[in-house]
Amino acid sequence: MLLRIRVSLPDRPGGLGQVARALGALGADILQVTVLEREAGRALDEFTVNWPAAAGEVTDRLSGAPGVRVEGYWPTRELPGSAPDYDVLTQVAADPARGLATLVDALPALCGADWALALADGVVRHASLAAPTAFDLPDPPLRPAARAGADLRLMVLPVAELHIVVARSTGPAFHRAELHRATRITDVVAKLSGRTPETTHP
């Protein structure tokens, strides 16, 4: 099972190695490590791993390492070393008229999310697989924003007359690094598609 695991750990020499050793001892194959932030003596890292056990064991089995806190984990389809952003942009450049629909279809895999959709005036204009056919977005933001509720973690990306919503039901809230990446690719797709985004980068 391919998982992304977000871990908070002490920002000191050997801290990352400690988590890597713990993952190795649990039989996980580490494919990629991304440092999301470092502040106040702690680091926030994301590990992409092949996890051999039941996903529910991640927190229990990793949290035994001193100072380590599992912020969340969720399945991912993005293989480390691939370049899905470029693949999406290539598809959009080949057919700009479908640019935003192509983006909505691709965002779940790009963002480790369950689904994405594009709303205009409260109506779903395009939806990826597994997305609802109707969605209420109270108080749509003017800028890209991440929101977390009891059931869903959302990114909302305003572009032209639309709001693109990206959602996942498990794992932690979208990090600002994820929001920044999604915003950048949305802006590029909007330009290729001839849309004028109403966004500024977070």
Side-chain angles (χ1 to χ4, degrees), residues 4 36 43 66 89 132-134 139 163 172:
R4 281 168 63 184
L36 295 178
L89 295 178
T133 56
D139 190 27
H163 281 84

Side-chain angles (χ1 to χ4, degrees), residues 92-105:
V92 172
D95 188 0
R98 286 201 77 257
L100 288 178
T102 298
L103 176 66
V104 168
D105 289 338

Side-chain angles (χ1 to χ4, degrees), residues 28-159:
D29 182 16
I30 301 172
L31 305 177
Q32 181 173 285
V33 181
T34 303
V35 179
L36 295 178
E37 62 185 56
R38 299 172 66 186
E39 56 187 36
R42 295 190 68 81
L44 190 65
D45 297 346
E46 276 186 3
F47 294 80
T48 302
V49 303
N50 272 324
W51 183 262
E57 298 179 16
V58 171
T59 300
D60 291 341
R61 298 183 71 179
L62 264 188
S63 295
V68 173
R69 185 172 64 247
V70 177
E71 300 288 330
Y73 60 88
W74 63 103
T76 183
R77 288 169 282 171
E78 185 176 346
L79 291 171
S82 62
D85 304 46
Y86 299 127
D87 294 339
V88 171
L89 295 178
T90 299
Q91 292 178 44
V92 172
D95 188 0
R98 286 201 77 257
L100 288 178
T102 298
L103 176 66
V104 168
D105 289 338
L107 279 170
L110 289 177
C111 300
D114 297 331
W115 53 262
L117 53 79
L119 287 170
D121 299 322
V123 177
V124 175
R125 303 295 182 177
H126 188 79
S128 72
L129 292 175
T133 56
F135 188 77
D136 181 31
L137 183 65
D139 190 27
L142 298 177
R143 294 167 50 93
R147 300 175 176 177
D151 300 324
L152 288 176
R153 295 88 174 123
L154 302 177
M155 280 193 294
V156 184
L157 309 166
V159 53

